[in-house]
Amino acid sequence: MQSSSMTMLKLGRQTQLVQLRSMATIKEKVGEVMEKAGKAFTDTGKVGKKFNPDHPDGTAGKEAQKQGKEADKQGGALKKDGAIGKQFTKEGAIGGTAQKAGEKVEGVGKKMEGEEKAKK
């Protein structure tokens, strides 16, 4: 009877180890996904680069810059340092919020992924 109990206990521990390894793998994968999702919204990421006029793929950013240059000529709220225009820069309320959010999510993802890799 004792050997049966010992075998069950040993199998229980092995099951727990497998579950812990699976949880670690899941956490690492979630970290990878979060890192990629966060990076996408930074000024060089898949989404953010579209709004960056200095990036080759920055079509929205280039169009906004073109419109901004017109606004700069005319002056007013839409020029790049105007009340509205400045909100869309990386440092502005809208552009800055997206940049900071993307960087934060990317950082959390790197941390989760790194913690799990360090445990291996």
Side-chain angles (χ1 to χ4, degrees), residues 1-118:
M1 190 83 164
Q2 279 186 333
S3 66
S4 175
S5 297
M6 295 288 278
T7 303
M8 300 267 300
L9 183 61
K10 188 175 180 183
L11 287 173
R13 286 185 184 152
Q14 288 174 341
T15 302
Q16 286 177 337
L17 285 173
V18 168
Q19 288 173 339
L20 287 173
R21 287 186 190 128
S22 295
M23 295 284 286
T25 302
I26 291 168
K27 187 175 178 183
E28 187 177 332
K29 292 295 180 193
V30 168
E32 287 176 21
V33 169
M34 287 182 67
E35 179 182 354
K36 287 178 183 176
K39 185 169 176 59
F41 288 93
T42 63
D43 63 336
T44 57
K46 288 184 178 187
V47 176
K49 69 183 178 185
K50 302 287 185 190
F51 296 92
N52 181 353
D54 299 325
H55 195 281
D57 294 335
T59 51
K62 287 180 177 132
E63 182 59 31
Q65 190 175 49
K66 180 179 163 186
Q67 297 298 320
K69 285 180 182 176
E70 281 300 311
D72 280 346
K73 289 179 190 173
Q74 297 171 12
L78 295 177
K79 66 183 194 170
K80 65 183 170 192
D81 60 349
I84 296 171
K86 69 181 178 184
Q87 302 305 316
F88 289 89
T89 65
K90 191 162 72 168
E91 295 79 24
I94 297 168
T97 299
Q99 182 74 21
K100 288 175 192 162
E103 288 172 354
K104 186 168 185 162
V105 171
E106 180 183 11
V108 169
K110 281 182 181 179
K111 183 178 177 187
M112 286 177 72
E113 186 180 0
E115 287 173 357
E116 291 310 314
K117 284 184 179 177

